[in-house]
Amino acid sequence: MSLTLERPAKAPGTAATRPPVEGGRPGRARWVWGWAYSGVLSVVLALVVLVGYLADGIASGTVDWGALLTDSVWSPGNLAFGGLAMIYGSAVVCVLALVLAVPVGWAAAVALSEYLPPRLAKPLRLSIELLAAVPSIVYGLIGIMVIRPFVAGLGDVPGGDSILAAGIVLAVMIMPTIVAVSVDALAAVPGRYREAAYSLGLTRREVVRSAVLPQARSGMRAGVLLGLARALGEAIAVFMVIGRADGRLPQSFGDFFSSLVRPGQTLTTKLAGPEPMLAGTSGPYFAALCGLGIILLALVAAATVWGTRGSSARVRRGPRVRRTSAWMRGPKDRLTTAVRYGALLLPTALLLGMLGILLARGGAALNPAFWFTPSAGASDGGIRDQIVGTLLLLATTALIALPLGYGAGIVIGTRASAKTSRILETLTVAVGGTPTILLGLAGYVLFCTTMGWGRSWLAGAVVLVPVVVPVVALTTAGRVRGMPGELTESALALGLTRAQYIRSVVIPYTWPATLTGLLLGLARAAGETAPLIFTATVFFGAPALPTGIVNAPVQALPTHIFTLSQDSGAPEAIAQAWGSALVLVLITAGLLTLAVFLRNRFEGARRWTT
């Protein structure tokens, strides 16, 4: 075991830096790379279709881009379309969510990976990942029940609808993504780096800072980018707690803090509201809304470029031992340990509290008859058909998204140059951050109208694919970048071709992270409401299983919950909504448990790689 953490720098073009060469069976190599590039093509195609839909909408009317970017007045009756207040609201809500979620998520991930023994870390990690199983609309309901009263008391504001409430709800929503992806990045750091650091007499805090975090930085940043993508694209949960007040901008620095506890508006809540339906399909009103969609995509791309700049050069360097002061090393180590354990307890407490609310409000889900009988009327009977429809949509989405997302991640992580990789990563996160209401509208135009499918379960699954593919692609690419250089060097020494290198080295190493990305993507897709309303589902009247593709809608739990939650004056409808929400969480939790079991099996099978 070497006592140094530095790896000697390799000159460009030496054997340690050259990728495996092409060779072997040309047909197999072409098949492997054709599959991989099809994943990249799917990301680009989704973005092209979406941008094409928005561009066509902009071309249908006249957009005053100066007013849209700099004016805060939004008054369709007066043909005034100023989006500055919505841009401000989106930026502030996302910053609040990241400020609250990133420190807690990173600290919890370090505690899970570096401090706890595996027998405790695995169930705690599962409990945190279960937070990702909670649908957006359930977060919105809990935000109404818990967060809004808290903000109302904090700011002495009636109701509690505010930008701060939206930021808190989003922070809880994106924290599981940050934790799960960061733990995968930390687990990818070879154990010999830790052993070498401990042999130099470093404390655990110093080992994590000097030997582990530098190697895991790229993957942990990918987790933050995924969280930011979800925060920028989230509509339903924010819609329910932000108040949707147009034209609210702080007039001074002091007014900024008071504006946080007042209602506001974001780009996604404007696009997810009733206005897209009122604006029609052409004219200046509809063109202005499409302009807001373009601005949102540009914000996602800008955030991605900022977050990924210069990462490739840093990731490949070996870890460095930082100079540390000997003053109070022991107390600093104990304090850091306590802080990280505390960060780990917070998401666990959030999960327990959320499950307590669901159990208290959704007692109908504890009755087996509720699961296995069809619904009757508006709010009677069970939810058998909604469960079957949800599972059909998720299974179809997973079958399409897994190979596409994995192929895109392989290309980004192994095939592309640093500049091309950054461009592809930007496009991928832009697709992941796209408001799903836009995906639903574009899917409605493309599949339901142009292709003549009408309401179709397959159209709904295809529309959900862009939600899942970016998560799979980015987690896979982050894991590839964290691969030890020795694995590539060994592949070179054995004379493996690129196709053999991918099959024998990259896939076994990255598959656990890919499973994590898939389950996180499906957990988000399971709670999506807006895309399915436009493309795939009806509230009642559809059979449990469709018999075709054209005019073959299904019933699904997310849209069922959303429809019931709108009927706030009927207690039986609200009880049915909470029961349906608990069933959806339990189903996704079961899928999560299965995925974690398989991931742990794969983790055990690839220990030789570290």
Side-chain angles (χ1 to χ4, degrees), residues 37 165 186 212 231 332 338 461 465:
Y37 279 110
L186 292 165
V212 178
K332 287 180 181 178
V465 167

Side-chain angles (χ1 to χ4, degrees), residues 343-515:
L344 180 59
L345 291 175
L346 178 59
T348 306
L350 288 173
L351 174 65
L352 293 177
M354 197 170 295
L355 289 178
I357 294 173
L358 287 170
L359 289 171
R361 295 293 184 114
L366 303 179
N367 183 0
F370 185 70
W371 291 62
F372 300 109
T373 58
S375 58
S379 57
D380 295 327
I383 54 171
R384 182 198 65 189
D385 295 349
Q386 288 81 3
I387 293 174
V388 173
T390 300
L391 294 179
L392 174 64
L393 290 170
L394 290 179
T396 307
T397 301
L399 289 174
I400 300 173
L402 179 59
L404 295 177
Y406 194 73
I410 293 297
V411 171
I412 293 172
T414 66
R415 185 81 170 186
S417 63
K419 183 178 180 180
T420 305
S421 176
R422 189 153 50 250
I423 294 173
L424 292 176
E425 191 172 25
T426 300
L427 295 176
T428 303
V429 178
V431 172
T434 301
T436 53
I437 182 68
L438 293 179
L439 294 176
L441 291 171
Y444 173 77
V445 172
L446 178 62
F447 297 111
C448 303
T449 303
T450 304
M451 298 179 64
W453 286 8
R455 294 289 180 89
S456 170
W457 61 274
L458 184 57
V462 173
V463 168
L464 290 178
V465 167
V467 176
V468 181
V469 165
V471 186
V472 178
L474 291 177
T475 51
T476 301
R479 184 67 165 229
V480 170
R481 292 195 184 105
M483 286 179 59
E486 289 80 357
L487 291 181
T488 301
E489 294 168 3
S490 300
L492 286 169
L494 293 173
L496 298 185
T497 65
R498 281 187 180 273
Q500 292 168 337
Y501 170 69
I502 296 297
R503 185 177 66 252
S504 302
V505 178
V506 176
I507 289 178
Y509 190 85
T510 59
W511 190 247
T514 302
L515 279 180

Side-chain angles (χ1 to χ4, degrees), residues 74-155:
W74 183 274
S75 178
N78 297 318
L79 295 180
F81 302 105
L84 182 60
M86 288 167 272
I87 297 172
Y88 165 81
S90 294
V92 173
V93 166
C94 289
V95 169
L96 283 174
L98 292 178
V99 167
L100 295 174
V102 171
V104 175
W106 278 357
V110 171
L112 282 171
S113 177
E114 307 300 322
Y115 285 80
L116 290 178
R119 67 179 181 276
L120 294 178
K122 287 181 180 179
L124 281 176
R125 180 181 179 181
L126 176 60
S127 69
I128 293 174
E129 289 176 344
L130 285 174
L131 283 172
V134 181
S136 301
I137 191 168
V138 178
Y139 278 111
L141 292 173
I142 293 176
I144 292 174
M145 181 178 178
V146 179
I147 305 300
R148 288 203 319 186
F150 167 74
V151 175
L154 181 67

Side-chain angles (χ1 to χ4, degrees), residues 29-360:
R30 285 194 296 268
W31 182 88
V32 169
W33 290 113
W35 152 68
Y37 279 110
S38 67
V40 175
L41 180 62
S42 70
V43 172
V44 175
L45 182 61
L47 195 60
V48 167
V49 170
L50 182 60
V51 172
Y53 165 75
L54 295 174
D56 184 66
I58 292 172
S60 69
T62 303
V63 178
D64 186 346
W65 289 100
L68 195 65
L69 293 171
T70 61
D71 195 357
S72 62
V73 178
W74 183 274
S75 178
N78 297 318
L79 295 180
F81 302 105
L84 182 60
M86 288 167 272
I87 297 172
Y88 165 81
S90 294
V92 173
V93 166
C94 289
V95 169
L96 283 174
L98 292 178
V99 167
L100 295 174
V102 171
V104 175
W106 278 357
V110 171
L112 282 171
S113 177
E114 307 300 322
Y115 285 80
L116 290 178
R119 67 179 181 276
L120 294 178
K122 287 181 180 179
L124 281 176
R125 180 181 179 181
L126 176 60
S127 69
I128 293 174
E129 289 176 344
L130 285 174
L131 283 172
V134 181
S136 301
I137 191 168
V138 178
Y139 278 111
L141 292 173
I142 293 176
I144 292 174
M145 181 178 178
V146 179
I147 305 300
R148 288 203 319 186
F150 167 74
V151 175
L154 181 67
D156 194 21
V157 179
D161 285 323
S162 62
I163 291 176
L164 179 60
I168 295 173
V169 170
L170 280 183
V172 177
M173 292 179 67
I174 69 176
M175 191 187 304
T177 301
I178 295 173
V179 173
V181 177
S182 298
V183 168
D184 275 322
L186 292 165
V189 178
R192 62 182 177 278
Y193 290 148
R194 299 175 180 86
E195 296 169 4
Y198 280 121
S199 71
L200 295 174
L202 301 186
T203 64
R204 179 176 293 179
R205 176 181 65 88
E206 294 164 346
V207 169
V208 170
R209 186 181 66 173
S210 299
V212 178
L213 292 181
Q215 290 294 299
R217 185 182 296 119
S218 176
M220 296 175 74
R221 185 181 292 111
V224 175
L225 289 174
L226 289 171
L228 177 60
R230 181 168 189 184
L232 282 170
E234 179 54 44
I236 296 297
V238 177
F239 185 90
M240 299 174 73
V241 299
I242 200 170
R244 305 187 302 281
D246 287 326
R248 298 290 183 92
L249 282 175
Q251 302 301 316
S252 64
F253 181 77
D255 190 35
F256 168 76
F257 294 99
S258 62
S259 69
L260 296 181
V261 293
R262 298 291 188 274
Q265 185 83 276
T266 67
L267 292 167
T268 53
T269 56
K270 174 61 70 175
L271 294 170
E275 294 194 42
M277 298 294 99
L278 299 175
T281 58
S282 63
Y285 192 2
F286 181 69
L289 290 174
C290 291
L292 294 180
I294 290 290
I295 292 172
L296 182 56
L297 292 179
L299 288 176
V300 174
T304 307
V305 171
W306 177 83
T308 57
R309 72 189 193 285
S311 61
S312 299
R314 290 193 298 265
V315 138
R316 290 302 180 187
R317 291 203 300 258
R320 296 178 180 272
V321 177
R322 300 183 181 181
R323 293 183 180 273
T324 58
S325 172
W327 184 70
M328 296 185 67
R329 292 178 70 198
K332 287 180 181 178
D333 196 65
R334 289 191 291 271
L335 177 62
T336 303
T337 301
V339 169
R340 285 168 175 165
Y341 278 137
L344 180 59
L345 291 175
L346 178 59
T348 306
L350 288 173
L351 174 65
L352 293 177
M354 197 170 295
L355 289 178
I357 294 173
L358 287 170
L359 289 171

